[in-house]
Amino acid sequence: MSSSYLPATTDSIARALEAKTPSEAISILYRVLQNPSSAPDAVRIKEQAITNLSDLLRQVNRAEELKSLLAQLRPFFALIPKAKTAKIVRGIIDDVAKIPGTSDLQISLCKEVVQWTRAEKRTFLRQRVEAKLAGLLMENKEYSEALNLLSGLIKEVRRLDDKLLLVDIDLLESKLHFSLRNLPKAKASLTAARTAANAIYVPPAQQGNIDLQSGILHAEEKDYKTAYSYFFEAFEAFNALEDPRAVFSLKYMLLCKIMVSQADDVAGIISSKAGLQYVGPELDAMKAVADAHAKRSLKLFEIALRDFKAQLEEDPIVHRHLSSLYDTLLEQNLCRLIEPFSRVEIAHIAELIELPVDHVEKKLSQMILDKKFAGTLDQGAGCLVIFDDPKTDAIYPTTLETISNIGKVVDSLYVRSAKIMA
């Protein structure tokens, strides 16, 4: 980087755009920013130089330089309006976020900016950076710190009645509580976000976020039909914006269809006009699960889980629901296999269902304890002994009913005798 500055003019910006390499363009833009002039035209050119420089540093993945750029620009921020400062700061933070593997750097950058905004009393910017920081902490699984940050921020924003920011914060709080498996609080925060959103115009992307979170919470309560409708609304919003989150909304729609035993609809949704745009590993994974569910095949189910591990097991929402689906499918298959027997070797059942013996034995013992069928495990012989379902004797309920009726007759006679005596 040359120590001599360049004039803050459109010619300097044009020179940077015509540079042969990104490094050369970055050097030119740095020299433009070193110009000490504070004339209105020079300030305007410097703002454009900052935007171009930020984009170039993002393209060449220089996250640390973006962080130091933000610190270098602080004297310049005193020359421009607070709204423009907020736009530049948030733009640089967003550019750092687009560089992969920078989560820790983003957290430290946001903390630095928060400290600076407190010192400069820039409340509007601080609140938004704190909301961004809470989101980063949640992604980093630092839930308690994120909640502590949000609890103070929510009170402050409610006092200022900044509805749009309140929607963001309430939605983020709902996601945090859901990650901590606190469903009632997650629903309460989502309701607060919806209430705030109803009072103002909410951008389509944010409305899609609200619908996506609503679908996730309804799916958690096993209300898959309502969840499907919310995921569909989110998909339409994200699809119209060409947002990459559209594929996840579509994936969760397919999950809901599988969970309500409508796996046959999955192929139709994927082959629809909207679905064909997103054909890829995410949808292939759900199609494999739907095929396994339709055929009631545990082997195909396990193959799908193995082949699409990243799409199924590493997605916490899908993994949670597929685990319960797998257990249900396994129980149904085991009940069907043991039905003809009164005594059968566990190894034979494992062979029929094509699963490891210890896995089958563990599941059978769990089913016996849950009273899914009457039986016991003879571990010495390696056998499962199934008892006949005990037939309920009708004499006991009848006897109880007779005694109850006799009691009513005696009570009635006592009331009559009491009237006669009176």
Side-chain angles (χ1 to χ4, degrees):
M1 193 191 305
S2 175
S3 58
S4 61
Y5 62 80
L6 289 173
T9 60
T10 51
D11 290 339
S12 299
I13 299 292
R15 186 177 158 189
L17 291 171
E18 291 165 6
K20 292 178 181 176
T21 63
S23 299
E24 188 184 340
I26 288 166
S27 177
I28 292 167
L29 292 170
Y30 267 122
R31 289 167 65 190
V32 171
L33 293 178
Q34 285 173 2
N35 191 309
S37 174
S38 56
D41 287 343
V43 168
R44 184 173 50 80
I45 294 297
K46 284 182 184 178
E47 286 173 24
Q48 192 178 343
I50 290 166
T51 306
N52 293 359
L53 179 58
S54 180
D55 283 341
L56 282 167
L57 289 173
R58 174 182 56 79
Q59 288 169 22
V60 294
N61 293 343
R62 294 191 195 172
E64 287 288 351
E65 276 195 47
L66 278 168
K67 184 182 176 184
S68 59
L69 173 65
L70 205 48
Q72 290 167 25
L73 290 173
R74 286 176 189 175
F76 174 71
F77 292 148
L79 303 173
I80 61 174
K82 287 186 176 181
K84 282 190 176 178
T85 301
K87 184 181 177 183
I88 290 169
V89 170
R90 291 169 69 189
I92 291 175
I93 291 171
D94 289 342
D95 280 335
V96 174
K98 289 171 186 171
I99 299 172
T102 57
S103 57
D104 291 337
L105 182 70
Q106 287 177 63
I107 290 170
S108 66
L109 175 60
C110 287
K111 285 179 178 176
E112 278 182 21
V113 172
V114 167
Q115 286 176 355
W116 175 71
T117 49
R118 281 189 192 281
E120 294 285 318
K121 295 187 173 142
R122 295 175 184 260
T123 307
F124 178 86
L125 177 57
R126 175 180 57 77
Q127 289 170 347
R128 277 147 186 79
V129 176
E130 281 186 337
K132 172 78 174 174
L133 176 58
L136 289 168
L137 289 169
M138 184 185 74
E139 286 173 17
N140 228 27
K141 295 188 168 50
E142 296 176 34
Y143 301 126
S144 56
E145 192 179 343
L147 272 177
N148 290 338
L149 183 62
L150 280 183
S151 58
L153 188 58
I154 285 174
K155 290 175 188 172
E156 195 179 335
V157 174
R158 278 191 181 139
R159 216 166 35 242
L160 294 170
D161 203 30
D162 186 341
K163 297 282 189 194
L164 193 57
L165 182 57
L166 197 57
V167 171
D168 290 344
I169 295 169
D170 282 329
L171 186 59
L172 185 58
E173 190 182 34
S174 175
K175 291 176 182 177
L176 268 168
H177 285 305
F178 177 74
S179 300
L180 292 167
R181 316 298 306 130
N182 191 337
L183 207 58
K185 283 193 176 181
K187 287 170 69 182
S189 297
L190 183 63
T191 304
R194 280 194 172 280
T195 306
N198 287 338
I200 55 163
Y201 169 75
V202 177
Q206 188 65 309
Q207 188 59 52
N209 267 329
I210 294 170
D211 289 331
L212 186 62
Q213 181 68 6
S214 299
I216 289 168
L217 293 183
H218 278 284
E220 192 66 21
E221 293 181 317
K222 313 291 184 195
D223 184 2
Y224 294 110
K225 287 187 177 178
T226 309
Y228 179 87
S229 64
Y230 277 120
F231 287 137
F232 181 72
E233 291 289 336
F235 172 70
E236 285 201 318
F238 292 140
N239 185 40
L241 296 167
E242 297 183 356
D243 191 304
R245 286 171 293 183
V247 70
F248 294 104
S249 303
L250 183 56
K251 180 181 175 182
Y252 299 149
M253 281 166 59
L254 300 179
L255 174 68
C256 290
K257 284 291 183 186
I258 294 167
M259 295 306 291
V260 293
S261 300
Q262 293 177 2
D264 296 339
D265 295 349
V266 169
I269 294 169
I270 292 172
S271 59
S272 67
K273 185 181 176 182
L276 287 170
Q277 298 176 46
Y278 300 97
V279 169
E282 301 289 347
L283 299 193
D284 290 345
M286 299 314 295
K287 191 173 186 303
V289 171
D291 289 343
H293 184 268
K295 293 174 183 175
R296 303 282 179 194
S297 169
L298 282 169
K299 189 175 182 182
L300 288 176
F301 202 106
E302 292 203 328
I303 289 169
L305 289 175
R306 188 180 66 243
D307 291 350
F308 298 99
K309 188 175 181 180
Q311 288 77 26
L312 300 176
E313 293 200 0
E314 291 176 18
D315 184 328
I317 294 159
V318 173
H319 177 62
R320 193 177 296 117
H321 294 291
L322 289 187
S323 295
S324 66
L325 182 66
Y326 179 81
D327 282 344
T328 306
L329 204 57
L330 179 56
E331 285 176 8
Q332 288 174 353
N333 275 268
L334 284 172
C335 286
R336 180 169 53 81
L337 286 173
I338 65 175
E339 196 175 358
F341 301 103
S342 59
R343 183 183 178 89
V344 61
E345 288 184 358
I346 297 168
H348 179 61
I349 298 170
E351 188 182 332
L352 290 173
I353 207 167
E354 298 178 319
L355 288 174
V357 175
D358 56 340
H359 183 52
V360 171
E361 187 177 339
K362 186 180 176 182
K363 189 63 189 175
L364 287 170
S365 65
Q366 186 185 329
M367 288 170 70
I368 292 167
L369 290 171
D370 290 343
K371 297 184 178 177
K372 297 286 167 95
F373 67 90
T376 186
L377 288 171
D378 184 349
Q379 288 182 312
C383 290
L384 170 69
V385 181
I386 301 110
F387 306 137
D388 293 331
D389 290 332
K391 291 180 182 177
T392 53
D393 200 331
I395 194 167
Y396 295 111
T398 310
T399 306
L400 286 169
E401 190 181 350
T402 305
I403 292 168
S404 174
N405 289 334
I406 291 169
K408 287 175 186 176
V409 170
V410 171
D411 289 342
S412 177
L413 289 171
Y414 175 77
V415 171
R416 286 187 181 186
S417 64
K419 285 180 181 177
I420 293 166
M421 293 294 288

